[in-house]
Amino acid sequence: MPARARSDHVVVLEARGATESVLAQHVSLLRSVRGNPDNRRMLEPFGLLGANDESKGKGLVQWGYSFIEEECYWLVDTSRDPSTWPVVARVDPLEPFQRFDMTASEFVYRVLTEAEFSAFSVAAAIETPSYRAF
């Protein structure tokens, strides 16, 4: 399945694939963090899943982004059911993360349909949500 853009705003990474996939993005982020330890600061206070031995099955895994630099992650704890992993997101790579105790699908739905939903909402600007593969 190709990556999907929701209302040309939120891109949900595909489960598998060569480029726009959760795995490909995670491998790229791991390479970036391991290649330049200063990049670890960009993911504080959570860290990236698998980036170091201390994480013990906990850390961030990116599942989406927006075309205006917003980033969306799961806060993974491999000892827990994935359906309980909260969403951690930020509107700008230099801003702190915000935690949302909900699934990724609920997060995307609320971004697209609820004008009052945090700084991430685009509902007021988009009359009817749309979806496209690319």
Side-chain angles (χ1 to χ4, degrees):
M1 172 188 275
R4 304 268 179 189
R6 275 40 177 181
S7 298
D8 284 334
H9 179 73
V10 180
V11 175
V12 177
L13 299 172
E14 59 189 86
R16 299 175 251 201
T19 55
E20 289 286 323
S21 71
V22 172
L23 180 58
Q25 179 64 12
H26 196 71
V27 168
S28 176
L29 286 171
L30 280 171
R31 196 174 308 124
S32 174
V33 166
R34 289 176 178 156
N36 182 353
D38 289 337
N39 290 340
R40 288 184 187 194
R41 278 190 243 127
M42 296 296 291
L43 299 170
E44 289 179 353
F46 305 108
L48 189 64
L49 180 69
N52 58 50
D53 294 335
E54 299 92 48
S55 67
K56 306 230 188 282
K58 296 180 182 180
L60 298 175
V61 172
Q62 189 170 17
W63 58 262
Y65 61 90
S66 79
F67 293 121
I68 58 170
E69 294 191 355
E70 296 167 338
E71 300 172 338
C72 305
Y73 298 84
W74 284 295
L75 182 52
V76 171
D77 180 344
T78 58
S79 69
R80 298 185 62 202
D81 182 337
S83 68
T84 66
W85 296 345
V87 169
V88 177
R90 59 184 171 192
V91 295
D92 180 281
L94 300 176
E95 295 290 323
F97 285 104
Q98 296 177 48
R99 180 182 169 138
F100 299 89
D101 290 317
M102 62 184 65
T103 63
S105 57
E106 181 181 355
F107 180 84
V108 170
Y109 175 81
R110 292 183 71 186
V111 163
L112 298 177
T113 63
E114 294 181 19
E116 335 49 66
F117 182 67
S118 76
F120 297 93
S121 178
V122 294
I126 297 172
E127 192 170 308
T128 304
S130 62
Y131 308 92
R132 72 177 169 98
F134 62 96

